Amino acid sequence: MAEQTDDTRDVNDPARLADEARAQVEKHAAELRAANVPIETEPPTTYRP
Amino acid sequence: MTAFASIAELAEGLRSRRMSAVELATETVDRLASVGPRYNAIASVMRSRALREAAAADRAIARGDARSALLGIPYGAKDLLAARGAKTTWGAAPYKDQVIKVDATAVAKLRRAGAVLAAKLAMVELAGGGGYRYPSASLQGPGLDPWNTGRWSGGSSSGSAAAVAAGLVPFALGSETSGSIGTPAAYCGITGLRPTYGLVSRHGAMALSWTLDKVGPMARSATDCAHVLAAISGPDVNDPTVSGKRFRPLTADAAREAVARVRVGYAGEEIERAGESARPSLRRGIEELRRVAPAFVEARLPEDLPIGAMVSTIIGAEAATIFADLIESDRLDLMPDEKQKAGLRAGMRITARDYLQAMRLRTVLAARMRELFRSCDVIVSAGRTATATPVEQRLDAATLPPGASAARDTAAAGPRPGNVGLIPAGNLAGLPAVFFPCGLGTDGLPVGLQLVGPPLSEPLLVALAEAYQRETDHHLRRPPAT
């Protein structure tokens, strides 16, 4: 769902959408950093030399 | 008439010489060309290739060749897959003239099985990478649902779902990064199978997310999906992520035994909080499944993992890397959806730290899902919790009319009722799923369920969906105008 904001720019204004997209990246980053991950946890990998 | 015939029915017609593969291919490409544009479903009709492959199939049938159930059977491929004889546009204006002179491995395997490629099918541009706001984010225009052309056919495998639902082809290839087989299958009332990550080669398929992309079949029954998956699964030296495993369906006896003892994990809140128009059919579908497989147990996705942030960050970072040249060029402006362009650009700002944190959380999620599958064998949930979105509506609209749904497959931030996050969670964990219709909503649009199982559990998922489809006729319903 779209978030309610006080932004008065048109909803399809590219500058507004750019700001919202950047804010979304930051929001997701904050959620990821807040998650507790044991230090020994490695990402999955398909790298096989 | 061959429209809406099953693969087995068509194969029998070919073997018994009631029709030739060339006649079937001719009828199919004519239908695709005349009816397909009604749904914005067609990227390219491939008449020459189809007739050439059909003639070869006729010669093989005449020799008594019984290599595959797909010999002489026509199909369409999502325009994300490369195929000789047509452009490969990835649904996006910057690539509208792109020619890739190879067959994707899935297309090549179907060719070797004797199937006849009749069309490239429309899709959301770049499979939706960046996150689009409107169904019009496609080179062919918004995918229109054969059940109601005022509604969206779903994305990103829009044309694959619409062509199958409208009876233009018996099956199609689609792909899913997070929801792109499941959503259009649910909206168009067909059966879609998302394979385990690595079961089907991605070689020759546009990469949106190397670690999430899967190629899979879309058809009008689980049995037909199984025929296709048997042909396209297996080893491929061109894709290092392929496991080398092959899909083989269970024998009839093994399937009966498996369905009798399968433990079905279920939460249910997502059904009770589904859109008004979808809810009654979802409830009935669950009860019908319970009659087929009575052993229901409670099962819930982990609630403490930021599944939406994980899938968005992984797709965003990988897509931004894959399409960096496009994103940093003026060609990006050829794409119509302003939100999608903003999303692709923002993906360039995702840090390595956050991408890798999302990937580490994926390791945690996979372990949690393994734990969950100790108490159940499959999980059932709604395919989508609402019927197809009005075609002019914003997919991220704050206020949705009854029965409409947001298109994003990522779980919304905040509490997730029941197993509503099963699409992104299943994709992050690389799990297979089968999506199948369970009735019509009060608005007359299709409603469906999904079953998700552990890695490589496709034989069980197919057996269970087949058992459901033997006891019900939802998958046999046709859109009113067809």
Side-chain angles (χ1 to χ4, degrees), chain B residues 119-472:
Chain B
K120 301 289 287 299
L121 299 171
M123 57 182 280
V124 174
E125 51 191 356
L126 306 185
Y132 48 107
R133 173 163 278 172
Y134 297 104
S136 56
S138 171
L139 187 57
Q140 284 76 31
L144 305 180
D145 194 325
W147 287 85
N148 178 341
T149 53
R151 299 294 182 116
W152 184 40
S153 57
S156 66
S157 305
S158 316
S160 298
V164 170
L168 308 185
V169 283
F171 75 91
L173 292 178
S175 76
E176 173 151 328
T177 304
S178 187
S180 284
I181 288 176
T183 299
Y187 283 0
C188 291
I190 65 165
T191 303
L193 201 157
R194 178 187 77 215
T196 304
Y197 179 80
L199 184 65
V200 177
S201 170
R202 299 171 298 110
H203 175 67
M206 183 203 88
L208 174 63
S209 166
W210 302 291
T211 67
L212 282 160
D213 296 340
K214 281 85 57 183
V215 175
M218 304 173 82
R220 288 189 292 273
S221 70
T223 300
D224 282 358
C225 284
H227 284 307
V228 181
L229 187 61
I232 64 175
S233 62
D236 180 19
V237 294
N238 293 314
D239 182 350
T241 63
V242 163
S243 65
K245 308 279 189 193
R246 293 179 192 274
F247 165 79
R248 290 290 177 266
L250 298 176
T251 63
D253 285 347
R256 204 175 306 114
E257 279 180 34
V259 170
R261 65 166 187 265
V262 67
R263 298 167 301 167
V264 180
Y266 178 59
E269 293 95 328
E270 73 277 23
I271 306 287
E272 294 311 311
R273 291 173 60 169
E276 274 176 37
S277 56
R279 200 181 312 138
S281 281
L282 288 171
R283 284 176 178 156
R284 274 196 302 275
I286 292 292
E287 290 314 306
E288 287 166 346
L289 183 68
R290 209 188 284 270
R291 287 198 285 277
V292 171
F296 269 49
V297 298
E298 185 170 325
R300 281 165 205 288
L301 295 172
E303 293 179 349
D304 59 335
L305 295 175
I307 290 171
M310 290 162 66
V311 78
S312 290
T313 300
I314 292 165
I315 296 174
E318 294 186 19
T321 308
I322 292 161
F323 292 108
D325 288 348
L326 172 70
I327 294 168
E328 292 177 334
S329 77
D330 295 340
R331 291 184 302 139
L332 187 66
D333 288 325
L334 296 172
M335 290 168 53
D337 197 286
E338 294 294 342
K339 183 178 180 186
Q340 185 170 11
K341 288 184 280 191
L344 285 166
R345 290 191 182 102
M348 304 286 272
R349 302 169 69 94
I350 295 170
T351 66
R353 170 191 173 182
D354 294 324
Y355 172 74
L356 287 167
Q357 177 74 345
M359 292 295 275
R360 293 171 79 215
L361 283 163
R362 214 169 157 182
T363 300
V364 176
L365 173 66
R368 299 278 197 87
M369 295 306 289
R370 282 195 293 276
E371 184 70 25
L372 191 57
F373 282 119
R374 288 201 182 121
S375 61
C376 63
D377 302 303
V378 299
I379 300 170
V380 65
S381 185
R384 298 292 308 192
T385 54
T387 54
T389 316
V391 76
E392 300 297 338
Q393 183 179 292
R394 274 177 59 180
L395 300 171
D396 58 350
T399 305
L400 301 174
S405 79
R408 295 300 302 272
D409 296 320
T410 54
R416 295 185 297 268
N419 289 326
V420 75
L422 191 55
I423 285 179
N427 278 284
L428 285 164
L431 306 178
V434 61
F435 296 79
F436 54 96
C438 67
L440 298 179
T442 55
D443 52 9
L445 293 165
V447 177
L449 298 173
Q450 64 171 310
L451 289 165
V452 174
L456 302 171
S457 63
E458 285 87 348
L460 175 61
L461 296 176
V462 166
L464 191 46
E466 283 181 319
Y468 179 88
Q469 291 182 331
R470 275 196 300 274
E471 298 299 320
T472 61

Side-chain angles (χ1 to χ4, degrees), chain B residues 6-46:
Chain B
S6 69
I7 288 173
E9 290 165 343
L10 293 172
E12 169 55 24
L14 293 170
R15 273 195 306 271
S16 65
R17 313 289 176 89
R18 285 200 304 277
M19 63 183 164
S20 71
V22 167
E23 288 168 342
L24 176 58
T26 302
E27 193 175 308
T28 301
V29 293
D30 287 348
R31 199 161 53 221
L32 285 159
S34 62
V35 181
R38 203 180 291 170
Y39 312 114
N40 292 334
I42 308 298
S44 306
V45 174
M46 301 178 71

